[in-house]
Amino acid sequence: MKIILSALCAVMVTLTGLSQAFSEELVVYSARKEHLIKPLFDAYEKKTGVTIKYITGKAPVLLERLKSEGAQTPADLLMTVDAGNLWHAAREGVLQPVSSSVLAANIPASLRDPENRWFGLSRRARTLVYSTERVSPSELSSYENLADPAWKGRLALRTSKKVYNQSLVAMLIAEHGETKTEAIIKGWVSNLAAPPFSSDTKALEAIIAGQGDVAVVNTYYFGRLQKKTPGLPLAIFWPNQSTGGVHVNVSGAGVTAHSKHPDAAKALLEWLSGPEAQNLFADANMEYPVNPSVKPHDFVAAWGEFKGSDLGLEKAGELQSDAIRLMDRAGYK
Amino acid sequence: MERCDTDMMMERPLGLFRAGGRVEPSLVLASGVALVVVLPILFVMVSIFADTRDIWGHLRENLLAGLLFNTAVLSAGVLALTALFGVWAAYLTALCEFPGRRFFSWALLLPLSIPTYVMAFVYTGLLDYSGPVATFLRQHVPTVAPFMPPIRSTGGVILVLALALYPYVFLLAAGGFASQGERVLEASRSMGLSRRRLFFRVMLPMARPFIFGGLILVLMETLADFGAVAVFNYDTFTTAIYKAWFGFFSIDAASQLASLLVVMALGVLTAEGWSRRRMRYFRGRDGRRAKRIPLSRRQALGAHLFLGGLFSVAFVIPMIQLFAWVGEAWREEWHLGYGELLGNSLALAGAGAFLTLSAALILAFAGRKLTGRFMAILSRISLLGYALPGTVLAVGMVRVLTGIDHMATGLFAVLGVAISGPFLQGTVWVMPVAYMVRFLSVGFNAVSSSLGRVSPSMDEAARTLGVSGFSLVRKIHLPLIQGGMVTGAILVFIDIMKEMPLTLMTRPFGWDTLAVKIFELTSEGEWERAAIPAVALVVAGLIPVGILVWQKERTNR
């Protein structure tokens, strides 16, 4: 028994030793998909010699994995989309605060955790897209206005199960309180042109086909369609410009609480927030850089400038559960 | 029916021991299998004690009744349609003779390798208001267009799931029909049964365990499905599980809801076992297979219409749509090393199918040998992995693996070696085990219904000739149930290739598969690009289906 045990021991030690020999290695758990992150990691590897290993998955699933792995986790960095997911990760204690003057300088305060456990790396705007054939921009004004009976049978929405909509509604709650927001959501539901869609792209396609007139979507979904078929009868409208601003969310990352290489992970984060990576990061998915000194891609810049909401994004996390309950009550599926 | 082999059947309490107090080896093996399956499920169920009244209150007030209603409607609809499609098609191809029969007997299996979520995004893409069909109608026949029923509806989701799932019933039922001996049918005919009554009174009841086996797989797939219903935004019980987890970030509430699914599945399995507790299904003593009934020309035409229609809707049309998307997207997508993805998919599916089938055989033989209540419970709980949504099972799996890793680290610490890091989690070796936990039910259903056909009098005869124990299994049983084994292995193989959540959770770094690629692209709404891995998956699925057909033709000759 003893012999078997020590033999097993020896094998394990060798295996572990082997994996630790390559210590210039970072492990990333990413809810951002492979084709969006791989080019960045390749560039970083080339520049620094640090190899980056990653697995992708849904944010809550990766979070659960981090939690059950605890101190043994191989992960150094958790990368997700939507501030709601990042906020939950921070609350569950799987991220550690990182103090870095580089990050503080590169990323505006509203796009990172007040306690520096997560940092936005790209900005996405959830805005209105309308049919240029059936809507004049003067009809549009705000998210709230879409509850107006004038939009009956004209609104195309994605399912309330998508975190983007949960964050949007959370921000509406932060601004207006529950009662008023519930009335707005009920208004949206009664204006729907079709049952909610499973994706932003489907909602946009419904507008092109004439099933609805206006949709609430992230800009890059519009961008992808526009790139594929230039001259679509669709246009972007920036809502709430005289009030709170367009709902802006982030994709971002944080260093895990049990990272074995916190300094290397911090260095990667800093690089990702810098000018070199910011364009790669944002452009890969037609998003906006978080770093104010970096300009968005021309294709994206052509959609015009807008005022983004500057409500702290942690609100999206705090109020996410309330937002879901509210949408369930309002019958928004 | 005949009861023989009193030595085997002697009812002892629980039936745990051989005479003389020695532990039965097959029971030890079966317990091992059950333990591996039940551990991750238990690790999900530990959450039942957590306090989640808050979320439950919300769900009960606003959602639960509707979700349960939707789930019931969906299950009933999918069961009815898959039974209709599967049994009818199996009857025609296994028991009737008409031109083109051989073609349909394998072609109708092809939709097996189209995952339900792929079927869902193909059909919503094709038939929704903004899709090509509706657009064409609006432009060219505007009078008809408003009457096109919406695909994103209860009927639509039922139809799409039934198209993706009917092959389970078809495959198992065809096996059941094909192995009905000629003698029984001759006897029935000689008693003057009409063809209709022959079907309903003899053939259908004799194939019942096979058909039920298929329908149970369909039911469990439907209950655990998340991908397809999400494409339709059709809310079912699994929606509540995901809402609790992904929305409220309460893995506890999600696990509690999932535990209810496990209980429901246990109920179904028990009810099914109970409903045939007094039935035995043995193959006739002569090996002659039933003669096929020749169809008249009119009947053959009807058969062609039905089978051809089913084949077109379940396979040809989805493939045309997928290829159309491939044509649009291949320039963008066809550089990502699909060879490696394919290789990974095939390797994992092969290893997983082998392990799953071995476990299924252990369970089936232990169940044949031991008739105690303990064994019945054991085999039932071993099948529960199929009832959980894959993602929830994946969490249970990760909890078990990290638990073992923690213990290993602790052990090393005691021995004075300070190393840490996962030993099991994230290694490729645990993946076949994870698949076994999930798909044991699939392999077991195929194997055990075949084994049920082998009469105990056969064992008795073999024993009098001095063949017993393992050589009885090897020389007599395995050759007789070869068909069921191949069926089971291939179903599991294809299921593993389609599997997504467990693969996502347990794979090592860089170990992507075709299904993972489909997930990555569809979750970004990139249906067209996802068509490429989807087509690769279907084409890879042709290999096992081909083996299956070859094997069927060989044994049916």
Side-chain angles (χ1 to χ4, degrees), chain B residues 76-369:
Chain B
V78 173
L79 282 178
L81 268 189
T82 49
L84 178 72
F85 292 165
V87 174
W88 194 6
Y91 168 73
L92 286 171
T93 56
L95 292 178
C96 301
E97 190 57 80
F98 56 94
R101 181 196 65 79
R102 280 182 59 162
F103 167 75
F104 284 116
S105 71
W106 62 267
L108 286 171
L109 292 173
L110 295 180
L112 258 188
S113 51
I114 305 182
T116 49
Y117 52 88
V118 171
M119 196 71 95
F121 77 66
V122 163
Y123 268 106
T124 50
L126 199 60
L127 296 181
D128 209 355
Y129 188 92
S130 56
V133 177
T135 308
F136 177 85
L137 287 180
R138 277 196 306 278
Q139 280 166 0
H140 300 282
V141 255
T143 44
V144 180
F147 298 103
M148 189 173 144
I151 180 71
R152 291 192 304 129
S153 59
T154 308
V157 70
I158 288 175
L159 182 67
V160 161
L161 276 181
L163 289 177
L165 297 177
Y166 85 86
Y168 291 97
V169 181
F170 171 66
L171 182 56
L172 292 180
F177 284 136
S179 58
Q180 298 179 349
E182 173 64 16
R183 181 179 288 188
V184 182
L185 300 186
E186 256 170 23
S188 318
R189 275 193 211 100
S190 69
M191 289 162 81
L193 255 65
S194 70
R195 193 185 286 179
R196 178 180 298 261
R197 293 190 67 190
L198 181 68
F199 176 72
F200 282 106
R201 300 287 295 276
V202 180
M203 293 168 167
L204 198 59
M206 273 175 40
R208 199 179 105 173
F210 293 81
I211 295 168
F212 271 31
L215 286 175
I216 281 182
L217 296 183
V218 168
L219 179 63
M220 296 225 222
E221 284 272 351
T222 309
L223 286 178
D225 179 79
F226 180 67
V229 295
V231 172
F232 282 87
N233 201 27
Y234 181 84
D235 292 353
T236 65
F237 195 70
T238 42
T239 315
I241 298 178
Y242 282 84
K243 177 161 278 193
W245 184 3
F246 293 6
F248 295 120
F249 279 81
S250 170
I251 185 71
D252 287 331
S255 305
Q256 290 166 350
L257 288 160
S259 305
L260 273 185
L261 264 189
V262 173
V263 173
M264 281 198 266
L266 203 55
V268 171
L269 288 172
T270 309
E272 200 268 343
W274 184 81
S275 78
R276 54 167 156 147
R277 69 200 180 285
R278 293 202 185 286
M279 303 192 187
R280 299 285 183 277
Y281 302 84
F282 302 131
R283 194 202 292 263
R285 248 158 259 222
D286 68 328
R288 278 184 302 145
R289 51 150 301 127
K291 274 197 225 89
R292 295 203 176 88
I293 308 161
L295 294 187
S296 70
R297 280 181 64 181
R298 262 184 64 186
Q299 288 168 327
L301 182 70
H304 279 156
L305 279 179
F306 167 65
L307 299 173
L310 184 59
F311 180 58
S312 312
V313 178
F315 190 73
V316 180
I317 292 174
M319 288 313 282
I320 292 175
Q321 174 67 79
L322 284 173
F323 272 109
W325 279 333
V326 169
E328 282 174 41
W330 71 274
R331 265 170 234 285
E332 221 183 329
E333 186 57 31
W334 187 252
H335 50 266
L336 292 163
Y338 273 94
E340 198 191 326
L341 299 183
L342 179 66
N344 287 347
S345 283
L346 291 175
L348 287 176
F354 178 77
L355 192 65
T356 309
L357 203 74
S358 312
L361 285 172
I362 289 173
L363 275 188
F365 279 109
R368 185 179 175 83
K369 211 158 172 206

Side-chain angles (χ1 to χ4, degrees), chain A residues 237-287:
Chain A
F237 181 86
W238 302 113
N240 297 52
Q241 291 304 288
S242 55
T243 49
V246 175
H247 170 55
V248 175
N249 212 313
V250 290
S251 76
V255 178
T256 60
H258 298 288
S259 164
K260 312 289 181 294
H261 320 96
D263 295 327
K266 177 175 147 184
L268 174 60
L269 266 185
E270 288 175 345
W271 179 78
L272 286 172
S273 73
E276 189 189 342
Q278 274 287 290
N279 269 328
L280 264 179
F281 200 103
D283 296 352
N285 197 29
M286 290 185 264
E287 293 172 59

Side-chain angles (χ1 to χ4, degrees), chain A residues 202-220:
Chain A
K202 294 271 177 205
L204 290 172
E205 283 169 353
I207 307 271
I208 298 170
Q211 196 174 17
D213 292 345
V214 61
V216 181
V217 296
N218 284 3
T219 50
Y220 51 87

Side-chain angles (χ1 to χ4, degrees), chain A residues 36-171:
Chain A
L36 300 179
I37 52 173
K38 190 163 188 301
L40 281 158
F41 292 165
D42 287 348
Y44 191 69
E45 256 180 64
K46 212 164 164 188
K47 189 182 144 94
T48 61
V50 175
T51 41
I52 300 175
K53 296 198 297 185
Y54 53 85
I55 47 161
T56 56
K58 292 185 174 154
V61 182
L62 293 174
L63 173 57
E64 200 50 42
R65 179 163 173 175
L66 271 177
K67 273 164 61 185
S68 43
E69 285 170 348
Q72 294 195 336
T73 187
D76 299 299
L77 215 57
L78 174 69
M79 194 175 247
T80 81
V81 290
D82 202 278
N85 287 326
L86 290 163
W87 181 86
H88 278 284
R91 201 189 60 155
E92 297 282 355
V94 301
L95 300 180
Q96 58 173 292
V98 172
S99 69
S100 153
S101 53
V102 179
L103 289 172
N106 283 347
I107 304 172
S110 69
L111 303 180
R112 55 183 152 90
D113 178 34
E115 292 171 51
N116 290 320
R117 290 164 301 181
W118 53 264
F119 301 87
L121 293 172
S122 69
R123 233 162 34 117
R124 47 241 326 258
R126 196 155 184 79
T127 190
L128 310 187
V129 169
Y130 62 94
S131 158
T132 50
E133 290 163 345
R134 294 180 301 280
V135 178
S136 112
S138 62
E139 289 179 76
L140 293 159
S141 59
S142 62
Y143 302 113
E144 293 84 347
N145 169 257
L146 294 179
D148 190 282
W151 294 103
K152 191 143 206 95
R154 302 170 73 189
L155 181 62
L157 290 178
R158 183 181 190 160
T159 169
S160 70
K161 289 180 272 290
K162 186 65 195 180
V163 66
Y164 304 159
N165 283 334
Q166 295 166 1
S167 291
L168 171 64
V169 172
M171 299 310 261

Side-chain angles (χ1 to χ4, degrees), chain A residues 9 27 33-34 56 61 65 68-69 72 85 88 159 161 195-198 211 224 228 324-325 328, chain B residues 54 58 63 129 152 231 233 235 243 247 249 398 405 409 412 425 505 507 509 512 520 523-524 528:
Chain A
C9 223
V27 173
K33 300 299 153 4
E34 181 181 34
T56 56
V61 182
R65 179 163 173 175
S68 43
E69 285 170 348
Q72 294 195 336
N85 287 326
H88 278 284
T159 169
K161 289 180 272 290
F197 294 90
S198 61
Q211 196 174 17
R224 281 185 210 159
K228 212 164 69 181
I324 298 170
R325 285 161 205 254
D328 284 343
Chain B
D54 181 34
H58 169 75
L63 296 171
Y129 188 92
R152 291 192 304 129
V231 172
N233 201 27
D235 292 353
K243 177 161 278 193
F249 279 81
V398 167
D405 282 341
T409 315
F412 282 125
Q425 168 81 300
M505 267 298 243
R507 76 202 151 124
F509 300 107
D512 283 355
E520 297 225 310
S523 64
E524 288 293 310
E528 292 87 352

